[in-house]
């Protein structure tokens, strides 16, 4: 037996074995060294053993990684960053003993599910990412099954092993894909909640649709929901492909290992049909998700059109008011032009440059009358020049430019606040899922 030393600082592993404990399960906590002894010496008497571990802690500890690699034969690439960041996958490989003979099969799969909430507390995110990051080891000689579940959220961990693994059938232990059929059903359950969560948000928008004369839709909220809907559809697409890949590999497994035992044949057929049903259910949810996206797009377009129509009506009202002002100004301009010549002439003749003698009935003009023109003409030219220079160096703002600048500042502050929130969420979430 190879001796391996695990890091003493690594958290202990939670091990659940099918036995005689409460609800038929026994729960213990072991270090990775003890796990090595438990599996390597085949000391476990249970056909099913569940191990809950923290992937990031194991990934950072070379000793723990080596134990998982040697005992469970986890491929080295599984610990790579691109596997960690993947939205979903399924893989499998046959394993051999020291003599090169087939001794079991390993599989690994990953599902992501995004669920949203209608009434999230203020300051908290209105969504939550769930993941199934599972590695399985099936030992052919004993039909023993080892499930390694990494970083399950509390809502998922509470269902492990009860009630998720309650419906076990000993006749299915000879087929390693009974595990996948149960987890596929759990994915269907969570994806159903995710899809209907988006549906409820869309329905709430439809019910609370503004009917006032001054619409004010919450565009950021609409686009946030659209982002959630896109993520839900993305995870459903990957879930369909992942389950289909499981079905293909299950077919290869049964074809490579034919059997004459009727119980084993029936168990394989049940597993195949269960996987097929889950695949159709996920496809059905994908259609519902597409419908949600179309309904949400319809609401966004309606909001844009409603605001555009309201703005158009306001523009018509403004145009009508401007027309009325224009008519009034025309009247004032007409009156001004009518009386301006007479006013100007009377102003000229009322100056002291002109003198009328009623006794002789004669007009006399001062010889200094040129002073008036010498002063009036330059001042008029200077005034016109100053007006032209003022508009050249201080042009008037465009209508609405002040509001656009304020809006730009507001959006910049909001984007910075959202970025800070995302970075905070990323640092708190070891999976990095909140950054999506």
């Amino acid at each position: 037996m190879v001796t391996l030393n695990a890091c003493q600082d690594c958290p202990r592993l939670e091990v659940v074995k099918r036995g005689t404990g409460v609800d038929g399960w026994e729960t213990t906590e072991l270090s990775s060294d003890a796990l090595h002894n438990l599996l390597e010496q085949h000391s476990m008497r249970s056909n099913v053993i569940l191990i809950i571990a923290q992937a990031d802690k194991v990934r950072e500890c070379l000793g723990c990684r080596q134990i998982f690699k040697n005992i469970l034969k986890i491929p080295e690439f599984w610990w790579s960053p691109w596997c960690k960041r993947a939205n979903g996958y399924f893989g499998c490989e046959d394993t051999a003993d020291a003599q090169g003979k087939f001794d079991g099969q390993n599989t690994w799969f990953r599902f992501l599910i995004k669920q949203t909430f209608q009434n999230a507390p203020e300051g908290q995110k209105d969504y939550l990412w769930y993941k199934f990051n599972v590695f399985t080891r099936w030992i052919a000689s004993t039909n023993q099954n080892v499930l390694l579940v990494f970083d399950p959220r509390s809502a998922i961990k509470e269902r492990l092993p009860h009630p998720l693994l309650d419906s076990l059938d000993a006749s299915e232990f000879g087929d390693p894909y009974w595990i996948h059929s149960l987890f596929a059903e759990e994915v269907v359950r969570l994806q159903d909640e995710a899809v209907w969560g988006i549906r409820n948000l869309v329905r709430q928008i439809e019910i609370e649709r503004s009917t006032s004369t001054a619409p004010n839709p919450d565009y950021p909220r609409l686009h946030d929901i659209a982002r959630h809907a896109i993520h839900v559809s993305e995870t459903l697409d990957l879930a369909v492909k992942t389950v289909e890949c499981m079905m293909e590999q299950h077919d290869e497994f049964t074809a490579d290992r034919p059997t004459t035992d009727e119980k084993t044949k029936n168990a394989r057929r049940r597993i195949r049909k269960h996987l097929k049903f889950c695949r159709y259910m996920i496809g059905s949810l994908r259609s519902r998700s597409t419908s949600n996206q179309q309904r949400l797009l319809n609401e966004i377009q309606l909001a844009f059109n409603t605001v555009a129509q309201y703005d158009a009506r306001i523009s018509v009202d403004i145009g009508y008011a401007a027309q009325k002002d224009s008519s009034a100004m025309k009247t004032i301009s007409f009156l001004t032009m009518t009386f301006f010549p007479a006013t100007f002439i009377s102003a000229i003749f009322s100056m002291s440059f002109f003198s009328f003698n009623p006794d002789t009935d004669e007009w006399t003009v001062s010889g200094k009358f040129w002073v008036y023109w010498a002063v009036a003409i330059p001042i008029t030219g200077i005034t016109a020049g100053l007006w032209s220079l003022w508009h050249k160096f201080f042009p008037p703002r465009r209508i609405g430019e002040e509001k656009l600048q304020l809006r730009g500042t507001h959006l910049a502050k909001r984007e910075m606040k959202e970025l800070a929130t995302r970075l905070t969420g990323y640092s708190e979430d070891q999976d990095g899922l909140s950054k999506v």
Side-chain angles (χ1 to χ4, degrees):
M1 181 178 65
V2 180
T3 302
L4 295 172
N5 296 320
C7 178
Q8 299 299 322
D9 297 330
C10 291
R12 296 173 68 84
L13 305 174
E14 182 176 345
V15 179
V16 184
K17 296 188 299 181
R18 192 184 185 202
T20 59
V22 180
D23 295 329
W25 296 91
E26 298 177 1
T27 302
T28 57
E29 288 189 356
L30 302 174
S31 66
S32 54
D33 287 328
L35 175 65
H36 173 273
N37 297 330
L38 180 68
L39 300 181
E40 182 73 7
Q41 297 174 0
H42 298 287
S43 60
M44 63 177 184
R45 299 179 180 178
S46 174
N47 285 330
V48 180
I49 182 168
L50 169 66
I51 304 171
I52 298 177
Q54 299 180 25
D56 287 339
K57 296 295 184 181
V58 177
R59 183 179 287 108
E60 295 170 359
C61 178
L62 295 179
C64 292
R65 282 177 58 178
Q66 192 65 28
I67 289 177
F68 279 97
K69 179 179 179 181
N70 288 5
I71 304 306
L72 296 178
K73 301 184 179 182
I74 297 180
E76 185 63 28
F77 63 79
W78 190 91
W79 305 102
S80 64
W82 48 269
C83 262
K84 177 183 177 181
R85 293 192 296 262
N87 291 344
Y89 54 72
F90 173 80
C92 66
E93 66 177 1
D94 294 340
T95 60
D97 57 17
Q99 288 74 35
K101 296 181 180 181
F102 172 80
D103 67 350
Q105 186 177 79
N106 290 346
T107 68
W108 51 91
F109 58 89
R110 181 182 177 94
F111 292 95
L112 293 185
I113 302 101
K114 186 178 189 180
Q115 293 190 357
T116 55
F117 313 105
Q118 271 188 287
N119 300 310
E122 186 176 355
Q124 296 186 11
K125 294 182 292 187
D126 60 346
Y127 65 92
L128 187 65
W129 282 97
Y130 292 94
K131 74 171 182 178
F132 287 100
N133 197 15
V134 181
F135 184 91
T136 70
R137 168 73 176 156
W138 176 71
I139 303 174
S141 59
T142 59
N143 283 342
Q144 291 174 325
N145 299 267
V146 180
L147 286 74
L148 187 58
V149 181
F150 291 99
D151 305 313
R153 288 193 177 272
S154 58
I156 296 177
K157 189 176 180 180
E158 292 172 356
R159 295 177 58 82
L160 290 171
H162 175 80
L164 182 57
L165 301 180
D166 281 351
S167 58
L168 297 183
D169 188 343
S171 65
E172 296 179 352
F173 291 161
D175 188 329
Y177 288 86
W178 66 265
I179 300 172
H180 305 74
S181 65
L182 296 181
F183 274 94
E185 181 179 345
E186 188 70 5
V187 169
V188 171
R189 184 185 68 84
L190 291 174
Q191 287 287 16
D192 178 75
E193 295 177 2
V195 171
W196 281 94
I198 296 294
R199 180 266 177 194
N200 293 337
L201 292 175
V202 175
R203 184 56 183 160
Q204 185 179 20
I205 294 172
E206 294 172 343
I207 294 174
E208 298 177 356
R209 186 183 302 152
S210 175
T211 57
S212 62
T213 56
N216 186 26
D218 189 355
Y219 287 119
R221 176 60 176 162
L222 290 173
H223 286 279
D224 281 343
I225 297 175
R227 174 169 56 89
H228 298 329
I230 292 172
H231 286 157
V232 170
S233 294
E234 176 189 5
T235 57
L236 284 168
D237 286 337
L238 286 168
V240 169
K241 295 178 181 179
T242 301
V243 175
E244 288 177 348
C245 190
M246 289 179 179
M247 295 170 62
E248 292 175 3
Q249 294 300 325
H250 180 255
D251 291 342
E252 289 186 14
F253 177 84
T254 56
D256 294 342
R257 296 163 185 85
T259 180
T260 58
D261 183 66
E262 289 299 325
K263 288 185 177 181
T264 304
K265 288 183 178 180
N266 292 333
R268 290 180 174 182
R269 281 193 291 267
R270 286 197 303 271
I271 294 171
R272 167 69 182 182
K273 291 179 179 179
H274 197 182
L275 285 173
K276 188 175 182 179
F277 173 74
C278 292
R279 183 258 176 267
Y280 281 126
M281 283 300 301
I282 297 174
S284 174
L285 291 173
R286 180 63 179 90
S287 299
R288 168 65 68 174
S289 181
T290 301
S291 175
N292 289 339
Q293 285 185 274
Q294 294 299 323
R295 289 169 62 183
L296 182 59
L297 179 61
N298 181 61
E299 289 299 314
I300 294 175
Q301 291 177 343
L302 177 62
F304 275 112
N305 293 335
T306 302
V307 172
Q309 291 176 358
Y310 174 76
D311 291 343
R313 290 194 297 268
I314 294 298
S315 298
V316 172
D317 294 339
I318 292 174
Y320 180 68
Q323 185 179 13
K324 291 175 64 177
D325 292 342
S326 178
S327 299
M329 291 302 298
K330 285 182 180 179
T331 302
I332 295 173
S333 299
F334 175 76
L335 293 176
T336 301
M337 294 300 294
T338 300
F339 291 99
F340 179 75
T343 303
F344 176 74
I345 293 173
S346 63
I348 291 293
F349 281 100
S350 64
M351 292 188 299
S352 59
F353 291 109
F354 294 90
S355 178
F356 176 70
N357 190 345
D359 296 332
T360 60
D361 197 22
E362 293 181 355
W363 284 88
T364 57
V365 182
S366 172
K368 302 295 185 179
F369 183 58
W370 61 271
V371 175
Y372 169 75
W373 300 108
V375 175
I377 292 175
I379 290 179
T380 302
I382 291 172
T383 302
L386 290 176
W387 178 85
S388 177
L389 291 174
W390 179 268
H391 281 274
K392 180 178 180 180
F393 291 104
F394 303 97
R397 290 182 180 271
R398 295 181 180 180
I399 296 176
E401 185 175 351
E402 299 87 351
K403 294 182 178 180
L404 287 176
Q405 290 180 348
L406 292 175
R407 180 172 176 267
T409 304
H410 173 72
L411 288 178
K413 291 181 178 178
R414 182 169 180 233
E415 290 176 357
M416 291 299 294
K417 185 176 179 181
E418 290 180 352
L419 179 60
T421 303
R422 291 181 181 180
L423 290 176
T424 302
Y426 174 77
S427 63
E428 294 176 351
D429 192 343
Q430 294 181 349
D431 303 328
L433 297 177
S434 61
K435 68 180 180 179
V436 180

